[in-house]
Amino acid sequence: MERAIVLAASAIGAGIALIAGLGPGIGQGFAAGKACEAVGRQPEAMSQIRSTMLFGCALAESTGIYALVIAAVLVFANPLVGLL
Amino acid sequence: MDINIQGPKILFTIPVLGGIEISETVVCQWIFMVIIIAVALWLVRDMKRKSISGKQAAAEIIVNMLNKLVLDTMGKTGLKYAPYIGTLFIMSFMGSISGIFGFRPYTANIAVTAAFALVTFVMTQYMSIKSSGLKGWVKSYMEPTPLLLPLNIISNLATPVSIAFRHFGNIFAGTVVTALVYGALASLSAVVLQWIPNAFINSIPFLQVGIPAVLSLYFDWFGAFMQAYIICMLTMVFVADACAVEDAQNVA
């Protein structure tokens, strides 16, 4: 019974952790939109804008990756089951 | 439908020091190290100054691109790091793309990306000590007030953690999503074929042909290239940042 509760709570927790995907999504969309504006204003700087945008997107992604790691730990290598 | 997502398998154990476990990751890395070294040696064999061959031209293009990237990001003082950055890029890229050759991508193992990040961390701290002296390095942790010392230490330690997790997370997510899609396609083809009264034909996962190629294009090719590029960019930016004090003193 306890084990079932822990497993269910872990599954729910993993799902909730991935709500953090909202943040990077908004951030990356914002970055891409701004990059489009920048290209529209200065098409000749396109390659530089692209690499800067990709770099910024990668940095913005890290919170999402943390959530993913936590969800993966909860699903594949649950430390809470060992505490029972 | 069975979906099997697991860590790297232990292939064999070296019976010294209580048994060192050699996992799939390490063996994959050995294989790719041999391939990369062999290709590199083959590319630089009998180089000439005039009437160069095609492979020498290819090698020169690669080295020039790398040098230009490092020069643009780190400035002239950073050019001595170009060989390391190139090695990091190729190792990371080959690791992530090894999935299409049937290996388990070795960058989907936190130990490998943590090693990459640790090298970056040691490099930044070493450059920081070298450029501003031991006293200046300690002082850089006390800024703006000594009260913020713990926060500065945490933010310095968070950098390699975030680099390692970013690379690992992206590649690992790719393997998980690919495994899930393969499982879903297998059960979908079982549903499509269930009108045929034959157990063998029913078990053929025909939808697994072709459709996952789109995922492979994104996760293996684009993702591998992006993550290799980003880990190199981050390494360059952080190391250049640590060297920046030196440059500023030279100007002043």
Side-chain angles (χ1 to χ4, degrees), chain B residues 138-192:
Chain B
V138 174
K139 211 179 149 197
S140 76
Y141 279 85
M142 304 275 196
E143 273 166 2
T145 67
L147 259 174
L148 290 176
L149 176 69
L151 280 181
N152 279 331
I153 290 174
I154 289 171
S155 78
N156 263 282
L157 288 179
T159 310
V161 171
S162 101
I163 292 178
F165 273 151
R166 179 175 304 119
H167 196 164
F168 157 74
N170 270 290
I171 307 300
F172 178 69
T175 62
V176 171
V177 171
T178 311
L180 287 176
V181 168
Y182 268 104
L185 287 174
S187 39
L188 196 66
S189 34
V191 170
V192 172

Side-chain angles (χ1 to χ4, degrees), chain B residues 36-116:
Chain B
I36 291 167
I37 292 170
V39 169
L41 287 179
W42 175 71
L43 279 176
V44 299
R45 222 176 44 184
D46 52 40
M47 295 190 118
K48 297 189 212 74
R49 274 186 176 273
K50 276 184 185 163
S51 66
I52 59 173
S53 59
K55 90 178 156 51
Q56 188 181 340
E60 282 180 7
I61 288 171
I62 295 169
V63 172
N64 279 339
M65 268 166 60
L66 174 69
N67 280 346
K68 192 174 171 296
L69 182 72
V70 175
L71 196 68
D72 284 349
T73 325
M74 293 178 81
K76 234 174 184 159
T77 50
L79 215 53
K80 57 175 180 275
Y81 298 107
Y84 171 66
I85 302 292
T87 312
L88 180 66
F89 184 89
I90 292 174
M91 201 65 193
S92 155
F93 181 68
M94 292 309 288
S96 312
I97 214 163
S98 62
I100 62 169
F101 304 119
F103 296 100
R104 186 182 190 278
Y106 58 74
T107 39
N109 185 336
I110 185 75
V112 176
T113 55
F116 292 163

Side-chain angles (χ1 to χ4, degrees), chain A residues 29-45 49 53:
Chain A
F30 204 72
K34 288 284 180 190
C36 288
E37 275 178 26
V39 171
R41 211 171 292 142
Q42 254 182 317
E44 67 276 7
I49 292 168
M53 184 199 74

